[in-house]
Amino acid sequence: MPLNDRDLSWLSFNHRVLGMAADPQVPLFERVRFLSIFSSNLDEFFRVRMPALMALHHIEEADTAVLPTVQEELKKQLQEFGQTLTKQLLPALKAEGVHLYYGEEIDAANKKPVKDYFYNTVLGFLQPLTLELDKPVEMFLENNALYLIVCLEDGRHGIVNIPSSNLPRFLRLPDKQIVFLDDVIREHLDFLFPHKKVTGCYSIKVTRDAEIDVEEFSGHLLDKVEDMLIKRQLGVPTRFLYDARMPDELRDSLAAYFRIANVELAAGGRYHNLKDLAELPMQSGNSACAYPPMPAAPVAPLEGDGSLLDTIKQKDVLLHVPYQKYDYIVRYFNEAATDPDVKEIYVTLYRVASGSQIVHALISAAKNGKQVTVMVELKARFDEANNIRWAKRMKEAGVKILYSIPGLKVHAKVALVKRKRGFHWDHIGLLATGNFNESTARFYTDHILLTAHKGITQELELLFVYMQTGITPTRYNFMHFEDLLVAQFNLVDRFTAMIRREAENARKGLPARIVIKLNNLQEKQMIAELYAAADAGVEIDLIVRSICCIVPRKGIRLRRIVDRYLEHARIFIFHNNGEEEVYMGSADWMNRNLHRRIEVCFPVYDPVYRQQVKDIINIQLADNTNAVILDAQIRNIPVTREPGEPAVNAQKGIYAYVHQR
């Protein structure tokens, strides 16, 4: 069965992000933002995927190991990154009056404010040391921290930290001139290393392995994860990034001193951690330098003065964020926290905002005497510390906290409110394709169903019973999932059955079509089912943002959309001989999602909303400006627009569509 490599397909996605930074049709300041996203993504790749690739390289035959191909692709992309920044973006910024010093001598007029900033602000954060490179290592390089290696006239070397985690990476000077924090320090090395002439200065950083299995640890899960966070910062190096101008002899000496293997050495530019470009203080009188405002649309049924919970009780509401207001989700939790008839609240939390209003509402609910149960996924990578902090605060307020499930991550995005009026209980559910996070909701495209559907809400309650008790829902104990598709239970079987039904319809000569939108597609069983369906004559359209291991062939069309907003929703549409079934949810088709997580996909029953979802998908399939076609080599091939054909941008088109509802 033909499959594309998952890591090369991810690099193809990040190359598409880089392509947005190089695209002159993208507003200038947004191009800088895409460059920072590319850099941030790459750091995570080195922390999460590179350790596995390096391990495989040691055990696989040379002709099967993918590491050399990955390294070659990384080298090519980093060269393109440097060209895009230095040859395109920096000159374009300067033309707009935004001058970022990039290896240039700072103007004499700016020496004084740089000097004042160094002595009054920066100096107190610095720890300059002299290194004895021929002696045992005397210091530890922190993960992704920035350092300057300083060459001294007497043949010795110094090292000084760049405190970008404590101070802004950029200093704004008069007349829209900007200088790196790195260069503020470079200007004053003679003060840090007195009586020794400085003969050279080069930047370095180490990226460390972030993949530490929580199952390694013994004891309470909360303690395990807190221990893991400490160990992560001490992980083995996966990349030693150094200024390419550094002499080879010095590079090799540093590698030996810090115990860096040759395979971990990576040449870079003068500056590292260019994800910090997202913080670049850019201003211009030219409005074309940024995306125009796209204010979120109100949803008429939820705009009234009455209870939002009452409105949902009467009729389902499907939200399309960020095109529509996310405020209603915060209001859902706020009302539940204060409504005297609400007795119980259940919610899963995977990634929450650092100042989450939703979590504050849950804390208030508990203090208001309600029974609040929250499944906090402590193993959400890189959000563990934030989740631990919130979990402790909620527990102190009386919230019942469920700390994950051994061997599983709870990735589902669901909530349930139980309200008692007289002798009657209302169940009001919330099911989403994205996290309950007010911050990311501004730029992640997701869909959220608010519903009182009896079957869906009863099965939500059943799911929370399972997460609390571990009692497995089955037909034999009269607890099982029918409306919801839940990983570990029926999700894989149901998706498989729906794909096979389309294949059978195609063999009968009936119309057969599948449209799927995912973040990642890698699980072999599901790919095999799609191949078999295509061979049977099913027409399959896939929109896959990131990792994509399926190889396009006859009947399988594959595209990717990278634009202003991060495409994040998972949508599944099966033609079913005209009786279409539409599902949405949290589950990508990856091994981890289908076999090692609790995921929930939910049906869209309301015909009006089902049509909205289909219309939105059709707009994305018609995109001929930002969409690219993925070919068998995972290359991003721009969609060709025929002469006279109108331009279609999916996100602009969806924004207009949603505002007409």
Side-chain angles (χ1 to χ4, degrees), residues 13-25:
F13 155 67
N14 210 32
H15 190 244
R16 179 71 190 106
V17 174
L18 183 57
M20 292 294 286
D23 186 350
Q25 300 302 312

Side-chain angles (χ1 to χ4, degrees), residues 204-234:
I204 63 168
K205 85 165 183 177
V206 166
T207 303
R208 298 186 178 277
D209 182 2
E211 281 292 88
I212 298 177
D213 187 355
V214 72
E215 301 301 333
E216 294 175 3
F217 303 100
S218 59
H220 191 275
L221 182 59
L222 184 63
D223 297 329
K224 291 182 183 182
V225 177
E226 289 182 315
D227 286 345
M228 182 201 73
L229 293 177
I230 296 172
K231 288 195 174 187
R232 174 182 285 164
Q233 297 308 313
L234 305 176

Side-chain angles (χ1 to χ4, degrees), residues 406-614:
L408 293 173
K409 278 187 181 181
V410 177
H411 190 248
K413 291 80 165 70
V414 294
L416 178 66
V417 168
K418 293 177 64 176
R419 186 173 66 176
K420 187 177 183 183
R421 288 184 169 172
F423 296 102
H424 178 74
W425 283 90
D426 292 334
H427 291 63
I428 303 166
L430 189 163
L431 304 96
T433 66
N435 299 303
F436 299 133
N437 187 313
E438 308 94 290
S439 297
T440 58
R442 291 181 289 108
F443 54 91
Y444 280 32
T445 69
D446 277 303
H447 307 278
I448 306 163
L449 178 66
L450 300 162
T451 184
H453 183 279
K454 185 176 180 180
I456 290 175
T457 55
Q458 286 182 343
E459 291 180 18
L460 276 180
E461 185 169 27
L462 176 59
L463 178 62
F464 281 104
V465 168
Y466 166 73
M467 288 190 286
Q468 293 179 80
T469 66
I471 298 173
T472 302
T474 69
R475 292 181 182 275
Y476 303 105
N477 58 15
F478 302 101
M479 299 188 298
H480 61 278
F481 299 108
E482 287 288 344
D483 291 279
L484 299 182
L485 310 185
V486 183
Q488 312 310 311
F489 299 100
N490 65 340
L491 184 145
V492 171
D493 289 344
R494 288 280 293 279
F495 275 138
T496 300
M498 285 187 278
I499 294 172
R500 291 179 178 178
R501 182 184 61 199
E502 294 299 319
E504 183 59 28
N505 285 344
R507 282 188 284 267
K508 292 177 180 178
L510 299 173
R513 188 178 184 218
I514 298 171
V515 182
I516 296 175
K517 179 183 178 184
L518 294 164
N519 295 332
N520 301 294
L521 173 57
Q522 169 259 339
E523 206 271 352
K524 291 182 180 179
Q525 176 185 339
M526 304 312 295
I527 291 175
E529 294 291 343
L530 291 175
Y531 281 152
D535 291 343
V538 180
E539 293 297 320
I540 301 173
D541 283 290
L542 303 173
I543 304 172
V544 184
R545 187 193 78 217
S546 185
I547 295 169
C548 186
C549 295
I550 198 168
V551 179
R553 59 203 287 183
K554 183 180 179 181
I556 298 178
R557 294 170 292 275
L558 182 58
R559 64 177 51 214
R560 165 182 287 151
I561 297 175
V562 175
D563 204 342
R564 172 179 186 155
Y565 300 130
L566 181 76
E567 295 293 339
H568 191 253
R570 294 86 168 179
I571 299 173
F572 312 87
I573 304 174
F574 300 90
H575 185 270
N576 191 25
N577 196 26
E579 298 294 326
E580 286 175 312
E581 291 192 271
V582 177
Y583 284 85
M584 310 171 116
S586 61
D588 282 317
W589 284 4
M590 300 278 286
N591 288 333
R592 65 192 184 203
N593 300 89
L594 300 185
H595 305 297
R596 298 194 299 274
R597 290 185 177 184
I598 297 292
E599 304 275 8
V600 172
C601 289
F602 52 92
V604 181
Y605 287 139
D606 187 297
V608 172
Y609 291 130
R610 199 159 56 235
Q611 186 61 51
Q612 285 185 13
V613 174
K614 288 160 52 181

Side-chain angles (χ1 to χ4, degrees), residues 21-284:
D23 186 350
Q25 300 302 312
V26 177
L28 176 59
F29 294 168
E30 311 300 342
R31 293 170 66 187
V32 175
R33 182 176 64 88
F34 278 113
L35 210 61
S36 77
I37 294 170
F38 172 88
S39 182
S40 177
N41 288 346
L42 208 55
D43 274 349
E44 183 170 338
F45 181 83
F46 273 97
R47 296 200 69 192
V48 175
R49 290 303 305 166
M50 195 55 91
L53 290 171
M54 291 165 63
L56 285 172
H57 183 69
H58 291 299
I59 62 176
E60 291 182 338
E61 296 294 332
D63 58 349
T64 61
V66 74
L67 181 61
T69 308
V70 166
Q71 290 176 319
E72 184 61 32
E73 179 62 24
L74 286 169
K75 181 180 178 181
K76 183 171 67 175
Q77 291 188 18
L78 286 170
Q79 289 174 343
E80 188 175 330
F81 176 97
Q83 290 292 310
T84 301
L85 176 60
T86 59
K87 304 300 183 184
Q88 296 184 39
L89 297 186
L90 292 181
L93 286 170
K94 196 168 185 179
E96 288 294 332
V98 180
H99 178 199
L100 173 63
Y101 286 96
Y102 199 88
E104 308 162 57
E105 178 69 22
I106 297 173
D107 292 346
N110 287 314
K111 296 278 189 180
K112 179 66 165 60
V114 168
K115 178 181 178 181
D116 291 344
Y117 185 67
F118 174 80
Y119 284 109
N120 297 335
T121 303
V122 178
L123 187 57
F125 291 95
L126 302 183
Q127 297 103 41
L129 294 172
T130 301
L131 300 179
E132 300 285 349
L133 294 182
D134 58 346
K135 294 183 178 179
V137 65
E138 299 172 348
M139 70 172 296
F140 177 83
L141 297 178
E142 296 181 13
N143 175 63
N144 274 345
L146 301 173
Y147 299 90
L148 294 175
I149 295 293
V150 182
C151 301
L152 304 173
E153 189 177 37
D154 60 3
R156 303 175 74 186
H157 297 86
I159 187 170
V160 60
N161 61 305
I162 300 173
S164 57
S165 60
N166 304 106
L167 296 171
R169 184 70 186 282
F170 303 101
L171 171 63
R172 187 184 179 104
L173 299 168
D175 299 325
K176 299 182 184 178
Q177 298 193 67
I178 303 166
V179 63
F180 276 92
L181 176 61
D182 319 33
D183 289 334
V184 172
I185 298 169
R186 288 174 189 264
E187 284 283 304
H188 299 88
L189 292 176
D190 55 346
F191 179 84
L192 298 175
F193 299 95
H195 315 303
K196 300 169 187 175
K197 183 179 178 181
V198 173
T199 59
C201 181
Y202 309 97
S203 57
I204 63 168
K205 85 165 183 177
V206 166
T207 303
R208 298 186 178 277
D209 182 2
E211 281 292 88
I212 298 177
D213 187 355
V214 72
E215 301 301 333
E216 294 175 3
F217 303 100
S218 59
H220 191 275
L221 182 59
L222 184 63
D223 297 329
K224 291 182 183 182
V225 177
E226 289 182 315
D227 286 345
M228 182 201 73
L229 293 177
I230 296 172
K231 288 195 174 187
R232 174 182 285 164
Q233 297 308 313
L234 305 176
V236 297
T238 60
R239 176 177 59 167
F240 181 85
L241 191 59
Y242 62 92
D243 187 335
R245 298 175 301 116
M246 179 185 290
D248 292 349
E249 182 180 356
L250 174 57
R251 177 202 62 199
D252 295 342
S253 296
L254 290 172
Y257 185 74
F258 291 113
R259 301 188 178 98
I260 305 295
N262 284 339
V263 73
E264 296 155 4
L265 294 172
R270 176 184 174 93
Y271 306 98
H272 307 318
N273 274 6
L274 289 179
K275 60 185 178 183
D276 293 340
L277 286 170
E279 303 169 12
L280 193 66
M282 299 176 291
Q283 290 184 359
S284 172

